[in-house]
Structures are given as C-alpha cells and as structure tokens.
Amino acid sequence: MCGILAVLGVGDVSLAKRSRIIELSRRLRHRGPDWSGIHSFEDCYLAHQRLAIVDPTSGDQPLYNEDKTVVVTVNGEIYNHEELKAKLKSHQFQTGSDCEVIAHLYEEYGEEFVDMLDGMFSFVLLDTRDKSFIAARDAIGICPLYMGWGLDGSVWFSSEMKALSDDCERFISFPPGHLYSSKTGGLRRWYNPPWFSESIPSAPYDPLLIRESFEKAVIKRLMTDVPFGVLLSGGLDSSLVASVVSRYLAETKVARQWGNKLHTFCIGLKGSPDLKAAKEVADYLGTVHHELHFTVQEGIDALEEVIYHIETYDVTTIRASTPMFLMSRKIKSLGVKMVLSGEGSDEIFGGYLYFHKAPNKKELHEETCRKIKALHLYDCLRANKATSAWGLEARVPFLDKNFINVAMDLDPECKMIRRDLGRIEKWVLRNAFDDEKKPYLPKHILYRQKEQFSDGVGYSWIDGLKDHANAHVSDSMMTNASFVYPENTPTTKEAYYYRTVFEKFYPKNAARLTVPGGPSVACSTAKAVEWDTAWSKLLDPSGRAALGVHDAAYEEEKAPASADPVFRPPAHGESILVETGVPAAAV
C-alpha cells in the first residue's frame, strides 16, 4: 500500500508551503517506505510515498502521460492493467507500473473511465492543461481516502487522516465508489451495481459459478514482483483463500520468481482457537506456516499506536486491529510485502452469527447490502491500515467486483440459515467448495463455526481489554460521558477509553465524525439489533454476544474457551450440520 497526498489550489506557493506538504506527506511514509515523490504545478501539489509491489525498479510516482501534462498519484493495484493497455495502442508507457494506465485512460476517455478499472485504488489526477483535477476511490473502499478543505480555498486528498487533519478546517472520509471532479465541484457515484438498490435478486444458486468466480478473484491478486503470503486464521474464509492459492500457485508468474511454496501466517494467544485451526489447515495444504504469538499485555501496550494508525475509536475494529497490527510487523520483518486476506465474505453471505436470527430473506439481503456499503468504515479500514502501518499490503479477493456481483445476484433464500435443511451460516460458500473428489479443505474446517478475528485470537484478549478499560475509566466518567462526548457517546468503559486515546491524536470535530456509531451486537448494524429483543440488553460487537448461537456465548460459557464447535462427519450425500446449541425453533 502506498500513501498519497494531494493539495490543490493553495493560496501560498512559497517554498515553505512546499516544505510543509512534504512534511505532511512523511506522515504517510509507513505506508510507502520504498520511495518518495512530489510534483508541483503552480498552486497544485501531488505527493506520493511508495510501497513497490509491481515493477519495483521503474514505477516510482507520481506517474504521467507521454508529455507530462497529466499527472496522477495512486494508491492501489489495477489487476486488469495489461488488458487496458491493449486498448491504448496509440499510447506510449514509460514504466511497468500497473497504475500508469490511469493517466492514459483519462487522456483517451476523459473522466468516465473509472468503471473500467478492476482493482483496489484511490487516486488524484491533475490535468495541467486546464488545471482541472479528479479524485476517485475503488468500489468498496478497500483503499482509504480522505478529502478536506483549507481556509485558503484549497482542496486536499490523503490516504490517511493524519496527513490533512492539522491543516484542513473540515474533512471527510471520501465515499467508496465515488469520483470528485473539480469541473463540476461535486462528488458523484461511478459504481452502480444492481445490488446497490437493495432490491431482492432472484438468480438460482449455482455452486460452480460461485467457486469459479472466487478462484478467478484469487488468481488475479497474485500479480506481484515481491514475496507474498496469506493471512490464515483457520476459519472458512482465509482457509479458502489459502487453498485456492495453493492449488494454482505453480501455474503463475510469481511462482517462477519466488517459488511455488506458499507461506501462511497466523497470530493468537497461546492455545487460541485460530492457532489450532490454522495449523491444521496449513498442514493439510502443505504451506510454510508461521505461527505467531502475542500476550494480552503486549496487545494492550500497542493500543495507542494502533489507534493512531487505524484512525478510529470503533470498539470491534480496535479489538481486531491490534493482533493484525502486531502480526503485520512480524510478517514485514520476514521480507514479505504483500498478503491475501479473507475480509468481506461475512458481509456478502450473511456469515456473522447474528444472521441466525434474520426473520426472512428480504431482511437478510438488505442487511448484507448495508454491511457491504459500510465495509470501508470497518473491516476494509482495519485490514488496510493495520497492515500498512508496517509497509505491508493486504489484498481481499472476496471484495472482487465481479465476485460480489455474482454472489449478490443470488436469491437470498439460499443464504438463509436453515437448520432443518442442514444449512449453517455461509452454506452457499461452503457447499460451493465441498468437492469430494479433490477436496479444498477438511470437512470440519469447511464447516467450522464463524469466529470473529478478535474472538478467534483468544477469548481472553477481549476480556483483558475490558479489564484494562475498567481500571482506567471511572463510573463518574461514564456518568458524564454524554457531556464530554456528545457525538457517538461511548456506552461502555472500553469504548470510552478508546475515545480518549483517539481524541488525543485527532481532536477536531471533523475527525470524530468520520467514525460511525450506533448499537451493534456481534458486528450487526443497528437495524439488525431489532431481530432479537434479547440482544438490546447485551450490545457488544463480539461474536459471543450472539446469545444462543455462539458455542462460547457470554451467558453459556461452560466449556474451556478453546473448545471447538462439535462436528459430526456426514455420510456421503448427507447434509452437513454444525451443532451450535441453537434450538431449531429459534432459527
């Protein structure tokens, strides 16, 4: 992941202003430690901090068209750049960078080219011929982008809030799937898939189409000129990513460059559910597996640094970001610069445990749509910033544009959790990869119950965080919380503690408004809390808050925290059933 900073229309064009912009750009150097670049044209500045993944030798940024009248600074990867270059035969490319194609597409098609890009990206493009500029962010918001306004009339764009928060009077999180044009002076949505309207789709379930679409999404993300690996928690999503990579790695260019032995990485407290499951998957796939450990105290010690980097006070995001942040540091120390990860599947397929209580297919589908639309504020933000803090790039194949279209076009009836039919959460995905002849995964991993990352690294992690917060936040502080923090008032001591740390780094009102709020249980939206009246009494983002669903639910902790869900291997042709302790009538 790279870091971009663009400042356009500044009132001061002195050397001091240029130095200030370079200084602010350095705040993003953790994202791109390999090289720095800046282009200035009159009162416009485009700066870049590069993490070299594709074409490390010649792809430094900013990038240009042939006569350098079009300048672009980009964070991201364009997976279909070779296909797009083939459409631009009259253009001369100066580098092997996948991102250079953006400058030439603009020359050829004007502002309406963004939907042609297949990848994850945020970019700012300056046309020096008329001093117009555009900025855009990928469909789901995998790559972060912020937009701000200075008192001098300048417009700012940055990969992270920390590079513009001090110099902008107001700033926002740039919405995913949108483009800003200086010619019109406003934002418009360029990403308009059928599912965005939340109308109920009706396509029949085709397991082979699901499987093939996902395999294509994974394979295209093996575009790299540097060593890479897979983040493997041992859950369904990351295990499928690792399995597909293992199956096709030998056929790719990257295998000829770095070998066909896949490296996988997992982190957890000793004895945690994820470590055990990940090792089993790694052994099954034959990967070079790296099991990393951390202690509750090490996680607590890192909290302030984590919040500074991920730029949020959302509880579940911080819980999950901390082990990911620690793991990323160790991965980078091993010489790996890119990893594939499993984010997005739960939002697309209704994989969170609270989906057990979805009353009907309409509400399930609408909730998955809401969850995907909000990913840039939660899991995408975590996966990107927790890894980028150490100059590591995370790619997320479940959020491939085509794969999302295929999965969200399904009749949501097939995503409903139906114990009477042997369907647990994400059954449509599990079944698509349930291949008897050439198995992708062992059966009990393929049908393992959902664990949120912050739970799976070890249940005592969240309990330790709560104890730490209780020691630092008094009852009187909570009593006055609504006066101290009138926006998104923290309702728990843990949330209050995170908020105080966040405000220390980002004290402006604009900063706190970039973070979403509202009640949640087991990562639900506020709307889905209405599905079960009992949930309103235990509003916690942990999967264990899904009372009566999670095997280690808060009120039902009878077994050791590391106990696995019970799995009974099925006879051939028999439906799969994971015993979750949920009465059939409750689901």
Side-chain angles (χ1 to χ4, degrees), residues 300-374:
I300 288 171
D301 290 343
L303 278 175
E304 288 207 5
E305 199 175 0
V306 169
I307 292 170
Y308 170 75
H309 277 288
I310 65 173
E311 303 178 326
T312 186
Y313 50 83
D314 175 68
V315 170
T316 188
T317 304
I318 294 168
R319 288 176 176 180
S321 292
T322 305
M324 196 170 199
F325 174 87
L326 297 172
M327 175 171 57
S328 297
R329 185 176 191 180
K330 292 190 175 184
I331 292 173
K332 188 61 185 290
S333 73
L334 296 171
V336 172
K337 295 177 74 174
M338 185 273 282
V339 290
L340 273 68
S341 191
E343 280 77 15
S345 173
D346 293 311
E347 287 75 11
I348 295 168
F349 292 105
Y352 292 109
L353 295 183
Y354 73 89
F355 278 97
H356 277 257
K357 299 296 180 75
N360 53 60
K361 72 177 186 178
K362 178 179 183 292
E363 292 209 34
L364 181 143
H365 180 71
E366 289 172 350
E367 175 71 358
T368 59
C369 292
R370 288 191 294 267
K371 290 292 290 181
I372 296 171
K373 291 175 183 178

Side-chain angles (χ1 to χ4, degrees), residues 405-416:
N405 286 341
V406 168
M408 293 302 289
D409 195 39
L410 290 173
D411 184 333
E413 180 63 40
C414 65
K415 297 180 184 179
M416 290 288 289

